[in-house]
Amino acid sequence: PFPQAQLESINDDEALQLIFAPGFSTSEQVSDLSGRGVGMDAVKTMVTQAGGHIEMQSEVGTGTRFRLVLPQTMSVNRVMMFEVSDQMFGVSMDSVVETVKVRPEEIQQIKNHQVLVIRDKLVPLHCLRDYLGFAPETQNTEEQSILVVNTGNGDIGLVIDKFHEGIDVIQKPLEGVMAGYAHFSGTALLGDGRVLLIINIPELLSCR
């Protein structure tokens, strides 16, 4: 709620900004999907955290225009999300060849390295748990999730825990201490507030 005196004294531009106030809603009833006053507030929070701002113009009887202004250092990329050790990561969709699920007995061992044969093609496998420094998975007798990607020098298979959807994200370069980690190409803020680390596959594999 806003003080009545404050509402009576604000100008048109300030009144437009009320739509971004936490809890502000034009709905008379609250449901699980609407009326809680978190929609535009969440949008502004995400844009602000990304270093941008929102401009809004509105004219009675004509309509309303929103303009998102974001830093030039950011770019919109489509990424495939996946899960490793209960944590979310992403990889550029441009490098994704396919996703497959295989039984453990389909994975072969050649010269101390795991490989998978996909349509008569030998694909080396790399366990992302090892590369990311997570504890080894207990013996898994169920299907393995394999994300096949192209590194520029051929296809490889990344052993992950679970596939998720592909989404368009605003990718932001790493800053501060994180800027020294070349195996991550950037970060993205998800709709629920979590930070998605986007993996630079060639750099990550070169660390081993």
Side-chain angles (χ1 to χ4, degrees):
F2 299 93
Q4 186 65 32
Q6 179 183 349
L7 294 176
E8 292 176 353
S9 62
I10 61 176
N11 57 37
D12 290 344
D13 289 337
E14 291 172 335
L16 289 176
Q17 293 303 312
L18 290 177
I19 193 174
F20 299 111
F24 179 85
S25 177
T26 58
S27 177
E28 295 182 358
Q29 294 183 340
V30 176
S31 71
D32 292 338
L33 300 177
S34 64
R36 296 172 296 160
V38 297
M40 297 305 294
D41 174 35
V43 172
K44 183 179 181 181
T45 298
M46 291 181 63
V47 172
T48 301
Q49 289 178 346
H53 63 276
I54 303 177
E55 297 177 356
M56 182 172 60
Q57 296 177 328
S58 184
E59 185 176 341
V60 177
T62 300
T64 302
R65 173 182 294 177
F66 294 89
R67 183 166 177 258
L68 304 184
V69 182
L70 299 169
Q72 290 184 350
T73 54
M74 301 173 62
S75 60
V76 177
N77 292 320
R78 187 157 186 82
V79 301
M80 164 70 79
M81 294 197 304
F82 57 89
E83 192 173 320
V84 178
S85 191
D86 297 325
Q87 296 192 39
M88 296 291 292
F89 295 93
V91 64
S92 173
M93 191 67 82
D94 291 338
S95 65
V96 175
V97 178
E98 62 180 310
T99 60
V100 296
K101 285 192 173 185
V102 300
R103 298 185 303 275
E105 58 267 25
E106 296 180 70
I107 298 175
Q108 304 178 28
Q109 195 84 10
I110 299 179
K111 293 183 178 180
N112 298 321
H113 198 94
Q114 291 186 326
V115 298
L116 180 66
V117 178
I118 303 178
R119 292 183 293 279
D120 298 326
K121 184 177 181 180
L122 206 61
V123 177
L125 298 182
H126 300 269
C127 181
L128 275 190
R129 275 180 171 267
D130 296 338
Y131 283 90
L132 295 171
F134 294 121
E137 188 177 22
T138 55
Q139 187 65 31
N140 190 353
T141 59
E142 300 179 354
E143 286 185 324
Q144 296 282 297
S145 298
I146 310 293
L147 179 62
V148 182
V149 299
N150 187 284
T151 64
N153 294 315
D155 294 349
I156 65 167
L158 304 176
V159 182
I160 61 173
D161 292 350
K162 186 184 299 183
F163 299 118
H164 286 271
E165 69 274 15
I167 61 170
D168 292 317
V169 298
I170 299 174
Q171 182 172 328
K172 188 174 182 180
L174 295 173
E175 298 177 350
V177 176
M178 290 295 292
Y181 291 88
H183 46 284
F184 295 120
S185 61
T187 62
L189 188 64
L190 299 178
D192 58 6
R194 290 179 297 171
V195 174
L196 181 73
L197 285 170
I198 302 172
I199 294 178
N200 184 332
I201 298 299
E203 288 289 342
L204 181 65
L205 298 182
S206 69
C207 294
R208 296 294 296 269

